[in-house]
């Protein structure tokens, strides 16, 4: 990738339709209100619902008020079902959860403001088993956050952001309890895995008062840092989601319009520009990707992307492919745990929801069909004026640094 490009809408009716969806306080007809604060896309979701990398399990804090407890969902069976994992005392609202591939749930609890303890919960007949793993108390531990589930399904990592450095900790899956695995200069946020082994992690880093730039961290080489996104010198370039199979990257950057973030896409290791489609920009709503279709080996333009759309009246769902100039928009199911969901390799979007009548539900979203494409114009030997050619507007080319993973291979 060597530049950033603005993709204009194919027709004026694209812009009109987007405006109709985003206008007014109610959103699209029949959309469902969402609950809970916003969370990092593709990780915990806005309602604190975290799904394992393989889509088999999920975890959330259930209950209400002062009676919160951990609840584990099983998603890979014929029907989803939930198992409560209560302990002798309720969980605090700020407890962080991370499900593992073996069905256990990691709980991170903050004690006395700075110290963080970690334990694994699992069902043992009618009771809940708890394996205590240890604690982390280090500079920045008052802002410790769990990173997204590791692709290996075994390890779990946390990040502490101190005044000048960020430390990464292996908090589950190690031999001797929590251990520091990397120290990175600057303050970091985000967290996206770029491979299927849990070795290469992308973080959004800020050095001093400079712009935010996504970098990669190699956990098998002592936390070696490599630049990942460098769209423009002063632009803030963040990585939101990545699909290791296809190399598709979902990016948020203000490079095409300084001071205003835009949602764009690129391909890991590609020389093509980062593109910022017009159809992903809504004037009265925020658009955030939360899931990418897996299994599209080396076919990034065919990957389906699920997007959470937030407006004044609530949240609903968008679906889009890089090869399309349109974003389909659909009502979310009632009780949707907004910002949570997963794609199957076959292209089915599954959304979790909770209602009074269905405390553990999973719906397969039926997205609107793609409109018929416009017929190709008949070739003509007449000269075409340059002003008629619909080329995307390109910003000043700036190289995108090569990431460590450019030799993707088919899964398995």
């Amino acid at each position: 990738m060597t530049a950033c490009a603005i993709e204009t809408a194919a027709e004026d009716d694209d812009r009109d339709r987007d405006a109709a969806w985003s206008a007014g306080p109610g959103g699209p007809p029949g959309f469902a209100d969402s609950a809970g604060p916003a969370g990092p896309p593709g990780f915990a979701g806005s309602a604190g619902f975290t799904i394992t990398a393989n889509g088999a399990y999920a975890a959330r804090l259930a209950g209400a008020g002062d009676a919160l407890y951990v609840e584990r969902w099983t998603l890979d069976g014929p029907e989803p079902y939930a198992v409560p994992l209560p302990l002798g005392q309720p969980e605090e609202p700020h407890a962080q959860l991370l499900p593992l591939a073996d069905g256990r749930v990691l709980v991170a609890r903050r004690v006395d403001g700075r110290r963080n303890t970690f334990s694994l919960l699992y069902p043992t007949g009618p009771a809940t088993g708890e394996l205590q793993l240890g604690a982390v108390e280090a500079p920045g531990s008052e802002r410790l956050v769990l990173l997204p589930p590791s692709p290996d399904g075994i390890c779990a990592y946390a990040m502490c952001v101190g005044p000048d450095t960020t430390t990464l900790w292996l908090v589950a899956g190690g031999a001797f309890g929590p251990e520091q695995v990397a120290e990175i200069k600057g303050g970091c946020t985000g967290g996206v895995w770029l491979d299927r082994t849990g070795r290469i992690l992308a973080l959004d880093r800020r050095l001093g008062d400079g712009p935010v730039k996504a970098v990669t961290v190699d956990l098998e080489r002592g936390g070696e840092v490599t630049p990942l996104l460098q769209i423009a010198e002063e632009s803030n370039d963040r990585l939101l989601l990545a699909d290791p199979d296809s190399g598709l990257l979902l990016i948020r950057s203000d490079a095409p319009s300084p001071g205003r973030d835009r949602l764009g896409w690129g391909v890991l290791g590609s020389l093509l520009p980062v593109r910022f489609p017009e159809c992903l920009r809504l004037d009265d709503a925020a658009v955030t990707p939360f899931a990418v279709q897996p299994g599209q080996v080396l076919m990034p333009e065919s990957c389906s992307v699920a997007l959470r759309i937030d407006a004044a009246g609530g949240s609903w769902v968008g679906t889009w492919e890089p090869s399309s100039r349109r974003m389909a928009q659909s009502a979310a199911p009632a009780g949707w745990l907004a910002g949570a969901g997963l794609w199957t390799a076959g292209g089915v979007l599954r959304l979790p929801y909770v209602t009074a009548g269905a405390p553990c539900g999973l719906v397969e979203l039926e997205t609107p069909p793609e409109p018929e494409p416009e017929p190709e114009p008949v070739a003509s030997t007449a000269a075409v004026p340059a002003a008629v050619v619909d080329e995307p507007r390109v910003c000043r080319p700036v190289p995108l640094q090569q990431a460590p993973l450019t030799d993707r291979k088919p899964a398995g």
Side-chain angles (χ1 to χ4, degrees), residues 60 68 80 88-89 96 101 126 152 166 184 186 189 220 223 245 253 262 265 288 302 339 360 373 376 399 409:
R60 73 180 188 114
L68 298 178
Q89 62 182 24
Q96 301 179 66
D152 66 9
T166 298
I184 304 163
T189 57
E220 289 190 5
D245 294 334
S253 173
R262 292 280 301 274
W265 69 279
T288 306
S302 301
C360 174
E376 292 291 334
K409 300 178 181 179

Side-chain angles (χ1 to χ4, degrees), residues 236-335:
N236 294 292
D237 308 321
R238 296 175 172 88
L239 181 63
L240 304 182
L241 283 180
D243 175 61
D245 294 334
S246 65
L248 177 65
L249 305 178
L250 277 301
I251 296 160
R252 193 178 299 280
S253 173
D254 60 0
S257 51
R260 181 179 179 182
D261 284 340
R262 292 280 301 274
L263 186 61
W265 69 279
V267 180
L268 188 65
S270 172
L271 297 178
L272 296 175
V274 176
R275 297 187 175 274
F276 296 86
E278 284 288 335
C279 66
L280 298 183
R281 183 174 64 173
L282 303 181
D283 292 335
D284 300 323
V287 180
T288 306
F290 64 87
V292 181
Q293 179 187 358
Q296 302 298 100
V297 179
L298 302 181
M299 295 192 300
E301 293 192 354
S302 301
C303 277
S304 296
V305 179
L307 307 117
R308 170 179 172 171
I309 305 174
D310 295 297
S315 303
W316 60 99
V317 183
T319 54
W320 167 81
E321 292 182 1
S323 60
S324 174
R325 287 181 175 266
R326 298 173 183 267
M327 175 175 61
Q329 302 184 43
S330 304

Side-chain angles (χ1 to χ4, degrees), residues 139-156:
S141 58
E142 67 275 9
R143 293 186 297 275
L144 179 142
V145 294
L146 291 178
L147 290 171
S150 173
D152 66 9
I154 300 172
C155 298

Side-chain angles (χ1 to χ4, degrees), residues 79-104:
E79 295 290 338
Y81 65 92
V83 175
L85 298 174
L87 294 173
Q89 62 182 24
E91 301 289 349
E92 295 292 332
H94 52 68
Q96 301 179 66
L97 308 181
L98 196 75
L100 302 182
D102 60 7
R104 295 182 295 176

